[in-house]
Amino acid sequence: MKGLFITLEGPEGAGKSTQARMLAEWLQKQGREVVLTREPGGTELGQALRRLILTHPMRPETEFLLYSADRAEHAATVIRPALKRGAVVVSDRWLDSSLAYQGYGRGLPIAWLRAVSQGFLGDLWPDLTFLLYLPPRLGLWRARHRRGTLEPDRFEEEELAFHERVLEGFFELARGEPERFVKVSVEKPRAEEVHRRLVEELRARGLV
Ligand code: TYD
């Protein structure tokens, strides 16, 4: 069976992790081997990088290169081998997050981010990307609420304008690749409805 690479993207508080998990469970029930993974942190080294990035202030370039280090490792040791075996890979975030956050959000040149990434990703590219979106103010509220009394991470502390640039960036990326991206509003917090929408899309495309 042919491997299938699906990514979930979106701003803070979009509920990507819940949808990734529900989608992975559903795909498993269809008899597919599923690898549910995430960025940053989809490998052991990635877990350490994730802690570093989310807790240390740093230059935008450094931030991008650390996310890239995580992604290079993740692509080579988790994603590619799984696709080669014919598995479905469901990744909670991928390169599009770097383009949206470090590119559109922090202002690093998109062409540079793409060129560096091309160096280690080669022809690895998602078959389908679900962009879960909601107004940034609501997303931040949900993310902080979910975290409860824990300290917000560095991204949740950013001003609203940053998150608005990130969301606009995601939309721009989707406009550039309308075939790959499927935009799904998650403003109404009905996980089951959102899940049904994702499954419908997979079926409509004949991917399952
Ligand atoms: P995480 O706690 O996994 O957040 P979430 O549940 O929102 O996915 O932390 C990931 C944070 O890192 C999130 O705020 C988005 C950011 N990020 C980037 O800025 N660039 C990237 O390339 C990736 C993968 C994540």
Side-chain angles (χ1 to χ4, degrees):
M1 199 170 273
K2 218 172 138 300
L4 184 64
F5 183 21
I6 301 172
T7 59
L8 285 94
E9 296 282 3
E12 310 298 310
K16 292 184 302 342
S17 312
T18 305
Q19 289 303 325
R21 203 183 54 242
M22 290 171 85
L23 192 61
E25 281 166 11
W26 184 84
L27 285 160
Q28 246 153 11
K29 281 196 197 126
Q30 312 306 304
R32 296 291 305 245
E33 181 200 345
V34 182
V35 174
L36 174 60
T37 185
R38 70 187 291 197
E39 290 189 8
T43 62
E44 222 179 288
L45 175 64
Q47 291 283 344
L49 288 169
R50 178 171 188 276
R51 274 192 300 277
L52 261 181
I53 304 169
L54 295 181
T55 53
H56 291 62
M58 60 185 72
R59 306 280 312 152
E61 292 82 356
T62 315
E63 193 175 87
F64 167 68
L65 291 169
L66 289 177
Y67 279 117
S68 295
D70 168 69
R71 185 163 303 123
E73 199 65 18
H74 188 219
T77 67
V78 177
I79 303 177
R80 275 190 189 283
L83 293 176
K84 212 167 160 193
R85 298 197 293 276
V88 185
V89 175
V90 177
S91 185
D92 183 351
R93 296 195 185 280
W94 191 66
L95 171 64
D96 298 301
S97 281
S98 281
L99 300 176
Y101 282 79
Q102 282 67 53
Y104 291 95
R106 301 255 193 251
L108 294 178
I110 301 292
W112 180 67
L113 307 186
R114 285 195 190 274
V116 172
S117 305
Q118 166 82 49
F120 59 84
L121 292 176
D123 63 356
L124 181 65
W125 210 248
D127 296 289
L128 183 63
T129 297
F130 290 111
L131 172 53
L132 308 185
Y133 68 95
L134 75 177
R137 192 187 293 277
L138 176 60
L140 282 172
W141 183 83
R142 280 192 200 158
R144 286 174 186 152
H145 196 71
R146 177 190 65 197
R147 225 177 250 276
T149 54
L150 292 177
E151 288 288 300
D153 72 27
R154 282 203 302 117
F155 289 91
E156 290 166 5
E157 273 175 341
E158 286 290 338
E159 55 184 12
L160 192 60
F162 171 82
H163 293 284
E164 279 164 355
R165 287 196 300 278
V166 169
L167 182 61
E168 211 22 71
F170 275 124
F171 287 152
E172 185 67 32
L173 294 169
R175 279 193 289 272
E177 281 180 85
E179 289 290 298
R180 170 164 71 98
F181 279 90
V182 177
K183 291 194 294 182
V184 180
S185 166
V186 292
E187 193 165 347
K188 293 201 187 95
R190 297 251 194 290
E192 273 302 332
E193 264 171 44
V194 175
H195 173 63
R196 270 200 297 278
R197 173 83 187 76
L198 306 198
V199 168
E200 267 169 27
E201 189 65 37
L202 286 177
R203 285 200 166 121
R205 289 176 178 236
L207 293 173
V208 287

